[in-house]
Amino acid sequence: MNILFLNYEFPPLGGGASPVSLEIARGYVRHGHMVDVVTMSYKDLPGHEIIDGINVFRVKSLRSKKEICHPWEQLSYLISAMKFLSRRMSKVRYDISHTQFIIPTGVLALWLKRKFGLPYVLTSHGSDVIGYNKRFAMLYPFLKRPWKNVVREAKYVTAPSDFLIDSTKKITTDGTFKTISNGLDLNRFKPLKKEKRILVVARLFRNKGIQDVIDALKSIEMESWKVDIVGEGPYRGFLEQKIIEHNLSGKVQLLGWIDNDSVRMKELYGKAGIFVSASYFESFGLTVLEALSAGCYPLISDIGGHRYILQNDRFFFQAGNIEDLRRKLQNLMRRRAGRYEMNLEKFSWKNVIKHYIALLEK
């Protein structure tokens, strides 16, 4: 198949959905399909390059930061992508579009279907579901009608967890829905000799709950434990101040953004004894999967995206409940929680890609 792959966020831009989309595109190429990605430009990134056999086209946009994209920046991408694809569609015959995010990218997919008759499969990642993220609360009322149109006219709408599919169906049941989990490279992160280290990997937004982790640590005797927080975002200044106020400097460090393929990231996952995800909502806990593959003991907020991966109550604390988090984290630290093993084969990219290809070929 000739697959048009649409995503306004593609590595090195964006958060969790960005590397996921790269792995899906790689999977299509490995199965012999041709893949063209149309994504956003950013600073000095090339307008066109080939990554692992994938044609990546970056159209002009107003994007100013790697880790966050504002609505007006997304709009600039849509306008540029429409101009680019108007020319591209006269040169290349695509069989189908696989589009990431209902909003904004789904608008582009719907336009292509109506103008050129190109069918599309849609993958939702969370923030694109109406009402999911309070950061977009003011926009949701204006987006509801086009959002429903994008969902209704998709060949399939997929999401990485049943929780996110159910959230979508609360807005509209007028569509064909399918849960396909995010995948994991089972060879990327491996257990190393475990140390008294706690790892948090998340973009620095309030909804990621990192401030709750820092507040929970305030009344815990750290002894020789260290906390590594990997990620970047607009909440960094607030978190830095909180670390200072709680006298945790030297115990808790904000490491910023680290390439997921780097030796440093593999060491952080591999050596961490405990992994914490305190998010208030997640469509799917990809970092939890990565931590599990590295043998970290998980302590995670009790939300739908996390429950899709793990079910045993012993791994969970109530989201936003600092005392519950503090008590369970302290117990793990006292026990010197170390290596935890779990069979993750069902989440391997090999299995996940097979599910996507089956949908595209129907």
Side-chain angles (χ1 to χ4, degrees):
M1 291 180 291
N2 287 348
I3 302 171
L4 177 61
F5 199 95
L6 302 175
N7 191 359
Y8 75 101
E9 295 199 319
F10 197 79
L13 306 181
S18 175
V20 164
S21 64
L22 173 59
E23 292 297 337
I24 295 171
R26 280 174 173 162
Y28 291 154
V29 171
R30 285 196 298 269
H31 280 79
H33 304 296
M34 188 278 284
V35 180
D36 282 356
V37 172
V38 178
T39 188
M40 302 179 89
S41 66
Y42 177 73
K43 294 188 176 179
D44 59 351
L45 289 176
H48 173 247
E49 66 176 324
I50 298 175
I51 302 174
D52 297 336
I54 307 161
N55 274 308
V56 179
F57 297 95
R58 296 185 178 92
V59 299
K60 291 182 179 180
S61 76
L62 299 176
R63 187 164 187 141
S64 59
K65 294 182 179 179
K66 275 187 177 183
E67 70 276 5
I68 189 171
C69 187
H70 298 290
W72 59 89
E73 296 171 339
Q74 296 173 9
L75 179 61
S76 71
Y77 159 74
L78 292 179
I79 293 171
S80 296
M82 286 179 180
K83 292 178 181 178
F84 172 81
L85 286 166
S86 291
R87 300 188 300 270
R88 186 74 178 167
M89 294 294 288
S90 66
K91 301 176 183 178
V92 181
R93 179 189 173 277
Y94 295 106
D95 297 294
I96 196 164
S97 164
H98 188 177
T99 300
Q100 311 296 308
F101 294 101
I102 302 170
I103 296 289
T105 335
V107 173
L108 190 57
L110 180 59
W111 172 77
L112 286 167
K113 181 183 178 183
R114 291 179 174 178
K115 184 169 184 176
F116 299 99
L118 183 66
Y120 62 95
V121 168
L122 195 61
T123 295
S124 171
H125 295 279
S127 60
D128 54 335
V129 174
I130 299 291
Y132 182 87
N133 192 334
K134 292 181 180 179
R135 188 160 66 95
F136 303 112
M138 294 183 65
L139 292 175
Y140 285 142
F142 303 99
L143 296 175
K144 196 167 187 177
R145 184 174 178 180
W147 185 93
K148 286 184 175 181
N149 290 337
V150 170
V151 170
R152 184 182 65 251
E153 296 201 31
K155 186 176 180 181
Y156 287 95
V157 178
T158 77
S161 66
D162 295 335
F163 159 74
L164 194 54
I165 290 290
D166 291 341
S167 297
T168 304
K169 286 182 176 179
K170 288 178 182 178
I171 311 301
T172 181
T173 57
D174 193 3
T176 305
F177 303 94
K178 176 80 172 177
T179 300
I180 301 179
S181 74
N182 286 338
L184 180 70
D185 179 353
L186 299 181
N187 295 313
R188 176 174 289 168
F189 301 111
K190 295 289 188 180
L192 302 174
K193 183 179 179 181
K194 292 301 181 182
E195 300 177 358
K196 295 173 75 172
R197 305 195 78 89
I198 298 166
L199 180 63
V200 179
V201 181
R203 286 200 279 183
L204 306 186
F205 292 103
R206 183 182 180 280
N207 62 277
K208 296 299 183 179
I210 301 170
Q211 65 279 4
D212 295 345
V213 178
I214 297 171
D215 285 340
L217 291 168
K218 177 184 178 182
S219 55
I220 294 177
E221 178 54 56
M222 296 289 290
E223 297 180 352
S224 56
W225 281 88
K226 302 286 186 180
V227 181
D228 298 309
I229 300 174
V230 177
E232 197 54 82
Y235 219 48
R236 183 182 182 111
F238 178 85
L239 297 175
E240 288 174 335
Q241 186 60 38
K242 189 173 281 286
I243 289 170
I244 294 171
E245 290 173 356
H246 292 349
N247 296 315
L248 291 169
S249 300
K251 294 288 186 178
V252 179
Q253 54 181 344
L254 296 170
L255 301 178
W257 181 86
I258 300 176
D259 191 318
N260 220 33
D261 289 319
S262 66
V263 172
R264 176 65 169 145
M265 200 69 226
K266 292 174 182 177
E267 289 179 345
L268 286 165
Y269 270 122
K271 293 180 180 180
I274 302 170
F275 178 84
V276 180
S277 176
S279 292
Y280 300 158
F281 52 86
E282 290 285 352
S283 59
F284 184 85
L286 182 59
T287 58
V288 176
L289 269 189
E290 293 174 341
L292 288 169
S293 71
C296 304
Y297 192 98
L299 182 59
I300 55 182
S301 51
D302 195 353
I303 56 176
H306 288 164
R307 281 284 180 179
Y308 188 74
I309 298 172
L310 292 164
Q311 287 76 46
N312 195 309
D313 288 342
R314 67 190 173 111
F315 300 121
F316 294 92
F317 63 91
Q318 184 181 358
N321 188 327
I322 296 170
E323 178 56 30
D324 191 27
L325 171 58
R326 184 203 63 78
R327 178 172 53 83
K328 292 178 179 177
L329 183 57
Q330 188 172 44
N331 287 340
L332 288 178
M333 293 166 70
R334 284 173 177 169
R335 285 167 41 200
R336 299 187 65 179
R339 183 166 172 173
Y340 176 78
E341 294 185 0
M342 175 181 172
N343 187 346
L344 299 171
E345 187 61 36
K346 71 175 183 177
F347 295 110
S348 71
W349 275 117
K350 180 180 178 181
N351 287 330
V352 171
I353 294 300
K354 287 180 180 177
H355 291 303
Y356 275 121
I357 289 176
L359 286 192
L360 266 60
E361 290 181 338
K362 284 185 178 180

